[in-house]
Amino acid sequence: MRSLVRWAVENAPGVNVMVLGTLVAGFLSFLMLRREVFPEFELEVILVTVPYPGASPADAEKGVCQPIEEAVRALDGIKRLVSIAREGGGYVLVELNSNIRDVQKMVTDVRSRVDRITNFPELSEDPQVEQITFREAAIRVAIIGPTSDDPDAEIKLRGVAEDVRASLLDLETVTQANIQGAKPFQIDVEISEETLRKYGLTLSTVAQLLRRENIEMPGGQLKADGQEILLRGKNRREIGEEIKNLPVIAQPNGVVLNISDIGEVRDEFDDSSNINEVNGQHHTVWLCDDRQVLDFFTNLSAVFSTQ
């Protein structure tokens, strides 16, 4: 220690150079330091979601959660698996060890294992694998539509919201935009009691026919030289116009009746009591500090006000 002090006293210019270099390095590091007003927090938790419409919690546990656990349990770096089975689907939380350096690689490995599962139920939908991330919204925008109970008005309002979201994502300063407070889409199929009696049908029978025809199911594997090809049958319809063409009744004379022939199919929303208002007034409200985004909403409001 004494020798170090003696060297510092005898070499004052060298000490000054070292202090100056430290100050310069600290200043440059400060300039290059990543700073976020609304930081994004990523947990070391991977969420696997598999929707299973119409399934009970017991069916979701047996058909969804257990196959996922068996597929990913052997991966290195997993600390704990937590399965949640509920009506309409199953969820599996994959908690990773804190010493995992590349979490995205683990997400890819989990997604690869889940995609290779071939014994999911036929009525289950495609699995979704994502890392749980917490984000704080920087700007909240309210898009107000006319007060009406007409489903078409709500669908048009949702369409406007989708257009605004797409336009926001085109801006260089916007990396993510999500729609909040919107009801989930739902396809309603209405068949009169007279029509059901005419063809000897019941609502449960029609529901079973729709589930049977509107499915996406695995078809096994096709092995070739040096490769394996996964086969999957896709007949799932996403909108009402496609559901209308599903066959329901095959008559003895060869005539096939579709859903549109015996009932009405409409694209609507879930029957949930979800009400969103902004001060009870019909105007668009936004709060923003970014000049580019503010100008965008100003021009957007002027466009929609003239329509």
Side-chain angles (χ1 to χ4, degrees), residues 94-266:
V94 183
E95 184 177 352
L96 307 179
N97 294 326
S98 58
N99 58 356
I100 295 295
R101 295 183 178 179
D102 192 352
V103 179
Q104 291 302 317
K105 182 179 181 300
M106 286 295 300
V107 175
T108 303
D109 293 341
V110 171
R111 182 179 291 109
S112 177
R113 293 291 185 95
V114 173
D115 289 341
R116 289 202 294 264
I117 297 177
T118 59
N119 59 341
F120 278 139
E122 295 182 358
L123 300 180
S124 64
E125 299 181 3
D126 293 336
Q128 301 175 1
V129 181
E130 58 184 352
Q131 182 183 2
I132 295 181
T133 304
F134 290 101
R135 297 182 177 91
E136 181 68 22
I139 305 170
R140 296 184 183 274
V141 182
I143 302 175
I144 309 302
T147 302
S148 174
D149 295 333
D150 186 7
D152 292 337
E154 191 172 3
I155 292 176
K156 291 180 180 178
L157 180 60
R158 179 63 179 270
V160 173
E162 295 286 354
D163 294 339
V164 172
R165 177 178 180 273
S167 300
L168 280 174
L169 293 176
D170 290 338
L171 299 177
E172 295 181 358
T173 56
V174 177
T175 58
Q176 186 175 15
N178 296 323
I179 298 177
Q180 297 180 347
K183 297 180 181 179
F185 280 111
Q186 176 177 288
I187 301 176
D188 289 346
V189 179
E190 294 185 358
I191 304 176
S192 64
E193 182 179 357
E194 181 181 355
T195 303
L196 291 175
R197 291 179 178 179
K198 177 180 179 181
Y199 295 102
L201 298 173
T202 61
L203 291 178
S204 60
T205 303
V206 175
Q208 293 176 0
L209 291 173
L210 289 176
R211 293 192 186 100
R212 186 187 66 187
E213 296 294 336
N214 187 34
I215 62 173
E216 181 176 344
M217 57 184 298
Q221 298 180 349
L222 181 63
K223 295 184 178 181
D225 295 336
Q227 63 178 348
E228 291 184 358
I229 301 176
L230 296 178
L231 302 179
R232 194 173 187 86
K234 293 186 176 182
N235 193 40
R236 180 172 293 278
R237 318 295 175 89
E238 301 291 342
I239 60 177
E241 290 296 329
E242 298 175 349
I243 297 292
K244 288 181 179 180
N245 299 324
L246 287 177
V248 178
I249 302 174
Q251 296 182 337
N253 57 2
V255 177
V256 178
L257 298 180
N258 299 330
I259 288 293
S260 59
D261 298 324
I262 63 175
E264 296 183 2
V265 181
R266 295 191 302 270

